[in-house]
């Protein structure tokens, strides 16, 4: 592994660590005794469609996996799709399945949408 690759991997590891801390905070909030249906629905919507930043957590994860798939297409041996196809499928599962299910759950908990 080159020095540049090592530095990149170190940055990725640090970023994953930061993301894990942030996700742990969200999990702690979800475990709060006083959370109600409208608040839980709002949190679920935030994971899927953040109003402050285009996208949300799930779409951003799908975008990250799609970016990895595009890179894999460029570097995989014989360009056979052994790496890129599963990555593209994973991105689609995040967007189509996980994201949609978060939306369904949020609507079930609080059909009117986010509180004003």
């Amino acid at each position: 592994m080159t020095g540049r690759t090592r530095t990149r991997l170190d940055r990725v590891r640090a970023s994953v660590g930061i993301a894990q801390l942030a996700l742990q905070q969200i999990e702690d909030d979800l475990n709060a005794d006083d959370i109600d249906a409208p608040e839980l629905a709002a949190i679920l919507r935030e994971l899927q469609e953040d109003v402050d930043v285009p996208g949300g957590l799930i779409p951003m994860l799908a975008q990250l996996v799609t970016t990895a798939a595009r890179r894999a297409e460029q570097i995989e041996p014989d360009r056979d799709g052994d790496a890129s196809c599963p990555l593209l499928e994973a991105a689609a599962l995040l967007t189509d399945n996980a994201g949609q299910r978060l939306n369904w759950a949020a609507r079930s908990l609080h059909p009117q949408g986010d509180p004003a």
Side-chain angles (χ1 to χ4, degrees):
M1 214 178 330
T2 67
R4 181 175 36 197
T5 302
R6 188 66 166 142
T7 301
R8 183 178 300 123
L9 186 56
D10 290 341
R11 282 194 313 268
V12 168
R13 284 183 180 143
S15 296
V16 168
I18 292 166
Q20 287 172 329
L21 291 172
L23 292 171
Q24 182 61 55
Q25 179 60 54
I26 294 169
E27 185 176 352
D28 292 348
D29 289 336
L30 289 169
N31 282 320
D33 290 335
D34 62 343
I35 194 168
D36 60 9
E39 187 177 17
L40 179 56
I43 291 170
L44 294 175
R45 285 185 181 96
E46 200 64 27
L47 294 174
Q48 174 57 17
E49 49 190 51
D50 187 344
V51 294
D52 296 328
V53 177
L57 177 65
I58 300 297
M60 289 181 73
L61 286 173
Q63 180 181 339
L64 184 114
V65 174
T66 299
T67 300
R70 287 187 192 127
R71 187 64 183 136
E73 284 175 338
Q74 295 171 350
I75 62 175
E76 62 191 348
D78 302 324
R79 301 206 190 254
D80 54 10
D82 284 349
S84 58
C85 285
L87 289 169
L88 289 170
E89 290 170 4
L93 286 172
L94 283 167
T95 302
D96 298 342
N97 289 353
Q100 190 59 35
R101 290 173 194 274
L102 283 175
N103 287 334
W104 290 338
R107 278 196 302 264
S108 175
L109 289 164
H110 194 242
Q112 290 79 25
D114 293 331

